[in-house]
Amino acid sequence: MVFPGASWSVAPEPEPGGACQRDLDATRSYLQTLDTTALMAVQDGRVLFSEGPVQTVSIVFSVRKSVLSMMYGKYVANGTVDLDRTLADLGIDDVGGLLPIERQATLRNLLAARSGVYHAAANGGDDAGAAPPRGSHVPGSYFLYNNWDFNAAGTIFERLTGRGIYRAFADELATPLQLEDFELARHARSGDARRSQHLAYPFYLSARDMARLGYLMLRHGDWRGQQLVPAGWVEQMTHQTTPAAQMHPPHTARRGFGYGYLWWLLEEPEGSPLSGAYMAWGIHGQYILVVPKREMVIAHKRQVPVAGNWKVSWVGPAAFLRAARMLAAAPCRMGER
């Protein structure tokens, strides 16, 4: 296996005019029609394709949730974290109080976005506007992409491990992975504490560092022989807990993605180059896509804000995945050149 050192190695240039080069050129032309800031595709441990300033750091929005799920792994494995403890067991409450039925939700329910807790979250960017009435669903029975779940999971991580999210990330992932652009000092939890005491935990990453996180997932949590994330936990995170058809509201179901533990799972036909792929996904167009079938990771950024403006266009999943399919289908494996 090939791993990056202080910087990524670049794959050999494909044969000029060959099928690999033609497909990469076509992908680049397509990306230029999108509002992509940067994209990096890694195959077999080397950079196959790069477009834009992959070193630029910006907020990655809900990619943070998938990162937190990775961080939980070692603590689940060593017994520090029991996924089946309830909010009541853990002493988790919130502004105005949680309902008794809500306090029966487990940490596992939160990681699967099936808590049944519809308390206001400290930040937006979710499907809370379509939430059913509070107390109407037994925990575990109903999927809703709700930031309350994800933020409370952050609070629980810090309480059970005794470590701040960002310091734990710096020590346990950023340092051994040799992230090139991560700055601990710029990170802090945020949100409206008047709405919820469980704040968000935004991350600021570059595309090339997002690719390292994805490559760690592709390698089943192993980095140069060091098991940073237990392999069994990688399997759990990317095992479907909710198929697309069981998601709410309907527009979420129509996307055609399943869900594991804070990772989106593509529901692709067996013959698709993206069959078996999974991704971290943040609003506006932040993606870490892992494609085991092709030994590939694709990191995509749409930098926000633009000149101070947060209300900018998106690179939605359909557009991003069109580019990803082009890259994954290109005949560019080392042995195929």
Coordinates of all heavy atoms in Angstrom, one line a residue, residues 1 15 28 53 56 60 80 94 134 139 141 178 190 197 247 266 282 290 322 326 331:
M1 N 0.8 -1.2 0.0 CA 0.0 0.0 0.0 C 0.9 1.3 0.0 O 1.9 1.3 0.6 CB -0.9 0.0 1.2 CG -2.0 -1.0 1.3 SD -3.0 -0.8 2.7 CE -3.3 -2.6 3.0
E15 N -0.7 8.0 -20.5 CA -0.3 8.0 -21.9 C -1.0 9.2 -22.7 O -2.3 9.2 -22.6 CB -0.6 6.7 -22.6 CG -0.2 6.7 -24.1 CD -0.7 5.4 -24.7 OE1 -1.1 4.4 -24.0 OE2 -0.6 5.3 -26.0
R28 N -12.2 17.4 -16.3 CA -11.7 18.8 -16.0 C -12.6 19.8 -16.7 O -13.0 20.8 -16.1 CB -10.3 18.9 -16.4 CG -9.6 20.2 -15.8 CD -8.1 20.3 -16.2 NE -7.4 19.1 -15.9 CZ -6.9 18.8 -14.7 NH1 -7.1 19.6 -13.6 NH2 -6.2 17.7 -14.5
P53 N -7.2 25.2 -6.1 CA -6.2 25.3 -4.9 C -6.6 24.3 -3.8 O -7.3 24.6 -2.9 CB -6.4 26.7 -4.5 CG -7.9 27.1 -4.8 CD -8.1 26.3 -6.1
T56 N -6.3 25.3 0.0 CA -7.1 26.3 0.6 C -8.0 25.7 1.7 O -8.7 24.7 1.5 CB -8.0 27.0 -0.5 OG1 -7.1 27.7 -1.4 CG2 -8.9 28.0 0.1
V60 N -16.1 23.2 6.3 CA -16.6 22.1 5.5 C -18.0 21.6 6.0 O -18.5 20.5 5.6 CB -15.6 20.9 5.6 CG1 -14.3 21.2 4.8 CG2 -15.3 20.4 7.0
T80 N -14.7 2.9 26.6 CA -14.9 4.2 27.2 C -16.3 4.7 26.8 O -17.0 5.3 27.6 CB -13.9 5.2 26.7 OG1 -12.6 4.8 27.1 CG2 -14.2 6.6 27.2
D94 N -31.5 19.6 28.0 CA -31.4 20.8 27.2 C -32.3 21.9 27.6 O -33.1 21.7 28.6 CB -31.6 20.5 25.7 CG -30.8 21.4 24.7 OD1 -30.3 22.4 25.2 OD2 -30.6 21.0 23.6
R134 N -42.9 16.9 18.9 CA -42.0 16.3 19.9 C -42.7 15.1 20.7 O -43.9 15.3 21.0 CB -41.5 17.3 20.9 CG -40.5 18.3 20.2 CD -39.9 19.3 21.2 NE -39.2 18.6 22.3 CZ -38.7 19.3 23.3 NH1 -38.8 20.6 23.4 NH2 -38.0 18.6 24.3
P139 N -37.7 6.6 20.2 CA -36.3 6.6 19.7 C -35.9 5.3 18.9 O -36.3 4.2 19.3 CB -35.5 6.7 21.0 CG -36.4 7.4 21.9 CD -37.8 6.9 21.6
S141 N -37.0 4.7 15.8 CA -38.0 4.3 14.9 C -38.2 5.2 13.7 O -38.9 4.8 12.7 CB -39.4 4.2 15.6 OG -39.8 5.5 16.0
Q178 N -0.5 13.5 9.4 CA 0.3 14.6 8.8 C -0.5 15.5 8.0 O -0.1 15.9 6.9 CB 1.5 14.0 8.0 CG 2.5 13.2 8.8 CD 3.6 12.7 8.0 OE1 3.5 11.6 7.4 NE2 4.7 13.5 7.9
S190 N -19.6 26.4 18.3 CA -20.4 27.6 18.0 C -21.9 27.3 17.9 O -22.3 26.1 17.8 CB -19.9 28.2 16.7 OG -20.1 27.3 15.6
Q197 N -28.1 24.0 24.4 CA -26.8 24.0 25.1 C -25.7 23.2 24.3 O -24.5 23.2 24.6 CB -26.9 23.6 26.5 CG -27.3 22.1 26.7 CD -27.6 21.8 28.2 OE1 -26.9 20.9 28.7 NE2 -28.6 22.4 28.7
M247 N -36.2 7.3 4.7 CA -35.9 8.6 5.2 C -37.0 9.6 5.2 O -38.0 9.5 4.4 CB -34.7 9.2 4.4 CG -33.4 8.4 4.7 SD -32.0 9.2 3.9 CE -30.7 8.2 4.6
L266 N -24.0 5.6 -0.7 CA -24.6 5.6 -2.1 C -25.3 4.3 -2.4 O -24.8 3.2 -2.0 CB -23.5 5.8 -3.1 CG -23.1 7.3 -3.4 CD1 -22.6 8.0 -2.2 CD2 -22.1 7.4 -4.6
G282 N -21.1 18.0 3.2 CA -21.5 19.3 3.8 C -22.1 20.2 2.8 O -21.9 20.2 1.6
V290 N -15.5 8.0 -0.7 CA -14.6 6.9 -0.7 C -15.2 5.8 -1.6 O -16.4 5.4 -1.5 CB -14.5 6.3 0.7 CG1 -13.6 5.1 0.8 CG2 -14.1 7.4 1.7
R322 N -21.7 13.2 -10.7 CA -21.4 13.1 -12.2 C -19.9 13.1 -12.4 O -19.4 12.3 -13.1 CB -22.1 14.2 -13.0 CG -21.9 14.1 -14.5 CD -22.6 15.2 -15.2 NE -22.1 15.2 -16.6 CZ -22.5 16.1 -17.5 NH1 -23.5 17.0 -17.2 NH2 -22.1 16.1 -18.8
M326 N -17.3 10.0 -13.6 CA -16.3 10.1 -14.7 C -14.9 9.7 -14.2 O -14.2 9.0 -14.9 CB -16.3 11.6 -15.2 CG -17.6 12.0 -15.8 SD -17.7 13.8 -16.2 CE -16.7 13.9 -17.6
P331 N -10.2 4.6 -17.1 CA -9.3 3.4 -17.0 C -7.9 3.8 -16.7 O -6.9 3.8 -17.5 CB -9.3 2.8 -18.5 CG -9.6 4.0 -19.3 CD -10.5 5.0 -18.5

